[in-house]
Amino acid sequence: MDGLERPIAPPAIAMPRRGDATDAATLQPVFITVDPKRDTREALAEYLKSFDPHIVALTGTEEQIAAVVKEYRVYVAAHQESGGNYTVDHNSFYYLIDPEGKFVRVIAGDVSGEELAERLRHWINKTV
């Protein structure tokens, strides 16, 4: 992910609530766009206002995002629509990376917030 712009330090996913027995402060949620053409720093900042303010959002050049997509084996497909608009299909996963930057596991993107928080709590308790 080297060289990707850090547009903001805003919103994210689902983390164990602060004040839980686990230390949610040890987690750093990161959102990486798969559509750098549209997802500028400003667009991401606006989008992420709806999420947890601790999320860090990343964007970059098309080449940088393509490298991340390839490394993490993310499915991405753009579909042209009328009027020059387009949609982007992609799979959605949570990738758990340890403090040393090593991949730990992937969690399906369709788990509930409670289930995600429980899995994260389990991992935190296991590594502390």
Side-chain angles (χ1 to χ4, degrees):
M1 288 189 276
D2 239 7
L4 293 178
E5 282 186 49
R6 292 184 144 235
I8 43 183
I13 329 170
M15 293 174 30
R17 283 187 282 270
R18 305 220 182 264
D20 279 355
T22 60
D23 185 6
T26 64
L27 296 175
Q28 177 57 67
V30 176
F31 173 91
I32 302 175
T33 183
V34 294
D35 184 9
K37 286 182 189 174
R38 275 194 296 214
D39 289 343
T40 62
R41 294 169 58 106
E42 297 77 20
L44 286 173
E46 186 60 34
Y47 173 71
L48 292 175
K49 285 181 181 177
S50 301
F51 300 93
D52 184 291
H54 297 92
I55 296 173
V56 171
L58 300 177
T59 190
T61 66
E62 290 184 45
E63 294 78 19
Q64 290 168 323
I65 298 302
V68 172
V69 163
K70 182 178 178 182
E71 182 174 346
Y72 288 92
R73 298 182 177 132
V74 177
Y75 164 78
V76 178
H79 304 282
Q80 292 295 39
E81 296 183 347
S82 62
N85 292 324
Y86 64 95
T87 59
V88 179
D89 292 339
H90 59 84
N91 53 14
S92 180
F93 295 103
Y94 301 106
Y95 294 88
L96 191 54
I97 309 298
D98 73 14
E100 287 77 43
K102 294 180 185 158
F103 173 80
V104 174
R105 70 176 301 175
V106 65
I107 300 171
D110 62 353
V111 300
S112 70
E114 294 81 20
E115 175 68 17
L116 178 58
E118 183 56 38
R119 291 182 188 189
L120 293 174
R121 239 183 253 105
H122 173 77
W123 181 78
I124 291 169
N125 290 333
K126 190 175 165 182
T127 60
V128 178

